[in-house]
């Protein structure tokens, strides 16, 4: 509401003057909005009273800031052991090849089905053979 609108206009319109007077009274009676600091103090008082007034771990703010974590660069794909990569391709490609043969090439000779199954089993066996057999006593397994 503009300040000039708050003053009666002096026109011969009593309804307008009455409305302006009512608005002026409303503006003077309205409670003011509390500031952010006052609102924070009210919330602190509201929620930090009674038996649960103890501060928890989420209320803790560390004084020192730890240095930023920078992860190591991952190794390039395909730079590992070529036999391991081949075993993964064979172990996944054998069943996929069997599925494609059953769906699209039903009249394939039996040795193709047999060969794909043997190749898949060999790839899976190689992957299982490479698994570690002993635990490291100093390793709790908490690595990312």
């Amino acid at each position: 509401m503009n300040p000039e609108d708050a003053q009666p206009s002096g026109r011969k319109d009593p309804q307008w003057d009455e409305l302006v007077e009512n608005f002026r009274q409303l503006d003077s009676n309205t409670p003011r909005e509390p500031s952010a600091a006052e609102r924070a103090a009210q919330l602190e008082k509201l929620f930090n009273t009674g038996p649960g007034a103890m501060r928890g771990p989420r209320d803790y703010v560390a004084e020192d800031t730890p240095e930023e974590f920078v992860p190591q660069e991952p190794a390039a794909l395909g730079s590992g052991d070529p036999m391991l990569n081949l075993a993964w391709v064979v172990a996944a490609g054998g069943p996929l090849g069997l599925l494609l043969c059953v769906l699209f090439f039903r009249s394939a000779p039996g040795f193709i089905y047999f060969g794909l199954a043997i190749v898949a089993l060999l790839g899976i066996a190689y992957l299982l053979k490479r698994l570690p057999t002993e635990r490291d006593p100093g390793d709790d397994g908490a690595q990312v």
Side-chain angles (χ1 to χ4, degrees):
M1 182 183 227
N2 294 336
E4 57 269 358
D5 291 340
Q7 302 298 328
S9 63
R11 292 186 288 184
K12 297 189 187 209
D13 189 0
Q15 289 179 340
W16 178 258
D17 291 337
E18 184 181 343
L19 282 173
V20 170
E21 187 64 34
N22 287 341
F23 277 122
R24 189 179 320 137
Q25 289 174 359
L26 283 176
D27 284 343
S28 64
N29 293 338
T30 55
R32 69 174 183 82
E33 189 73 22
S35 68
E38 291 171 342
R39 186 172 289 137
Q42 288 173 350
L43 289 174
E44 185 80 21
K45 181 181 172 188
L46 178 68
F47 289 112
N48 287 335
T49 57
M54 296 172 40
R55 298 184 85 58
R58 292 184 181 178
D59 299 327
Y60 172 75
V61 177
E63 290 87 22
D64 60 335
T65 57
E67 60 186 59
E68 184 178 331
F69 173 72
V70 179
Q72 296 177 359
E73 285 291 322
L77 292 176
S79 64
D81 183 16
M83 279 301 289
L84 180 65
N85 292 340
L86 180 65
W88 275 109
V89 168
V90 167
L96 184 64
L98 283 171
L99 178 68
L100 291 176
C101 282
V102 167
L103 291 176
F104 299 116
F105 190 43
R106 286 184 180 241
S107 62
F111 70 88
I112 291 180
Y113 290 111
F114 186 70
L116 286 172
I118 293 296
V119 166
L121 289 175
L122 286 175
I124 292 170
Y126 182 78
L127 290 174
L128 289 174
K129 181 183 155 278
R130 285 188 47 104
L131 285 176
T133 56
E134 294 180 5
R135 286 191 122 193
D136 184 12
D139 184 17
D140 61 356
Q143 292 182 349
V144 178

